[in-house]
Amino acid sequence: MNILGVETSCDETSAAVVSDGVEILSNVVSSQIDLHRPYGGVVPELASRRHLELIQPVIREAIELSGCAFTELDAVAATYGPGLASSLLIGLNVAKGIAFRLGKPFLAINHLEAHLYSPLLVSRRFDMLPMISLIVSGGHTILALVTEVGRHQVLGQTLDDAAGEAFDKVAKLLGLRYPGGPEVDRLARQGDRAAIAFPRAMLDDAGYNFSFSGLKTSVLYYLKKHPNANVADVCASFQEAVVDVLVAKTIRAAREKAVRAVSASGGVSINSRFREGLAAECQRHNLPLYLAPASLCTDNAAMIAAVAFHKFLGGARSDWNLDVAPSIGLPPSDSTPG
Ligand code: KG4
Ligand code: ZN
């Protein structure tokens, strides 16, 4: 079964064709990073205009690369939230239009739910559920327990900034270019992780929530007090503080919930120190770890088409009148809007 997925929730225009929920026939991602870089963040108005220009060529390329004709598609899926309203509208409406024209079902997909399952798209280890799945991106930090495909429970999330947002804001304080996460990751390799004792917020808290805004403020005060601070040391020490909390909470959740495996997705899950730290702790606790390749960690349409396959099999179909849901969170379990 071939599903065309479309993703335009933020600053990536993406289309993919995925067969049977696991075989990626194509996954075209056109990033707008260069467009937004001069502004130090995503400018919604510019993002939606660029989506409008790119959506048709990106879909056409995804179809061509997949080797499938439009008529060989069995369904069309698109992200309906969360994300930027004006960006979501482009992908959702184009996808609806294609599905309607082809006379095929249309499925609206929650972007966070797609992130949750993206590591399984590669590992295909659906037998390793229940699993603790961490979503760490520029907009979200969510720790979830996935009990079966389509069934999950949010254990905790950030109470303020997302982990990626903290990386981006700290990078800005250090005068690094946008997006800051990859820059901090690169510079941290030359720094001393123990140079500065930044706070690990909520590390000893009994729950699974996170908080990163205090850490960002600590970096700000440190830089005010030490204007000539070694940038690599600041990057390494800040990154270590974020990674310590993410890894500790993920492992504690995995042990307390007695799951079979751990997975992580979202842009921050590409971070080299995060991968190293999480892998070491998972190994120490005998927990198999599933991480998606970088191309599937950041925003992409393959994860949208993949999750749509499981929903399609479960009988889910969305209504043509369905609208975007920019502020929707991760619903407790399977909830494709009708
Ligand atoms: O998942 P993503 O592409 O988009 C969202 O849905 O937000 O994540 C983007 C975020 C940005 O904050 C970026 O700085 C961060 O992921 N990021 C990283 C790394 N690569 C991307 N953060 C830390 N280390 C990295 N290597
Ligand atoms: Zn995302």
Side-chain angles (χ1 to χ4, degrees):
M1 175 179 292
N2 302 319
I3 297 190
L4 170 67
V6 175
E7 155 65 42
T8 61
S9 66
C10 191
D11 59 341
E12 259 100 29
T13 316
S14 180
V17 180
V18 176
S19 180
D20 294 339
V22 283
E23 202 183 330
I24 302 172
L25 303 181
S26 63
N27 187 26
V28 179
V29 181
S30 178
S31 168
Q32 303 182 0
I33 282 179
D34 291 341
L35 176 70
H36 301 287
R37 182 165 283 142
Y39 306 95
V42 177
V43 183
E45 175 69 22
L46 295 181
S48 60
R49 264 194 256 164
R50 185 56 66 88
H51 283 308
L52 201 54
E53 288 163 16
L54 290 174
I55 190 73
Q56 290 197 34
V58 164
I59 290 176
R60 208 172 298 128
E61 192 182 342
I63 292 290
E64 274 167 21
L65 290 175
S66 75
C68 269
F70 272 106
T71 49
E72 289 172 298
L73 296 173
D74 297 289
V76 183
T79 307
Y80 77 106
L84 301 169
S86 51
S87 291
L88 289 163
L89 274 169
I90 313 286
L92 187 78
N93 284 312
V94 169
K96 270 189 205 172
I98 294 172
F100 191 80
R101 170 73 180 79
L102 294 172
K104 300 288 179 184
F106 165 71
L107 287 98
I109 300 298
N110 182 305
H111 179 84
L112 296 171
E113 204 173 340
H115 268 305
L116 210 55
Y117 297 97
S118 62
L120 294 181
L121 178 52
V122 180
S123 72
R124 304 184 180 190
R125 295 306 302 267
F126 295 94
D127 58 318
M128 293 305 277
L129 300 175
M131 179 181 287
I132 288 294
S133 187
L134 176 72
I135 303 173
V136 264
S137 67
H140 300 91
T141 304
I142 297 176
L143 194 57
L145 168 67
V146 181
T147 45
E148 55 188 85
V149 176
R151 291 219 156 267
H152 47 261
Q153 181 192 340
V154 174
L155 300 177
Q157 49 195 312
T158 182
L159 301 178
D160 39 57
D161 291 353
E165 200 177 344
F167 268 96
D168 294 339
K169 286 179 176 170
V170 163
K172 208 169 190 174
L173 293 175
L174 291 168
L176 306 176
R177 67 180 199 162
Y178 173 85
E183 293 294 297
V184 171
D185 191 353
R186 187 175 57 79
L187 286 165
R189 284 179 207 151
Q190 293 130 41
D192 176 2
R193 330 193 253 270
I196 310 151
F198 286 126
R200 271 76 170 149
M202 305 182 80
L203 183 65
D204 300 318
D205 184 88
Y208 297 114
N209 285 332
F210 302 91
S211 166
F212 294 108
S213 80
L215 171 57
K216 171 198 67 194
T217 311
S218 291
V219 176
L220 172 69
Y221 285 140
Y222 183 86
L223 292 174
K224 277 195 172 156
K225 224 170 150 187
H226 306 88
N228 298 317
N230 179 309
V231 173
D233 284 352
V234 176
C235 287
S237 301
F238 157 77
Q239 178 175 278
E240 199 66 6
V242 176
V243 168
D244 270 359
V245 181
L246 291 175
V247 171
K249 294 228 170 195
T250 304
I251 296 292
R252 184 161 61 76
R255 301 192 69 207
E256 287 177 2
K257 302 292 175 190
V259 294
R260 302 185 67 188
V262 168
S263 74
S265 71
V268 180
S269 74
I270 299 171
N271 183 272
S272 57
R273 182 68 187 148
F274 170 76
R275 290 195 161 213
E276 187 181 73
L278 188 60
E281 281 301 291
C282 281
Q283 196 172 19
R284 196 158 78 84
H285 294 284
N286 221 356
L287 285 160
L289 171 65
Y290 300 109
L291 294 170
S295 60
L296 294 177
C297 284
T298 49
D299 291 347
N300 67 89
M303 66 179 187
I304 304 300
V307 88
F309 168 74
H310 297 285
K311 290 178 173 293
F312 185 95
L313 288 189
R317 305 288 184 271
S318 298
D319 193 87
W320 299 116
N321 290 325
L322 183 107
D323 203 356
V324 296
S327 317
I328 195 172
L330 179 63
S333 60
D334 196 337
S335 60
T336 307

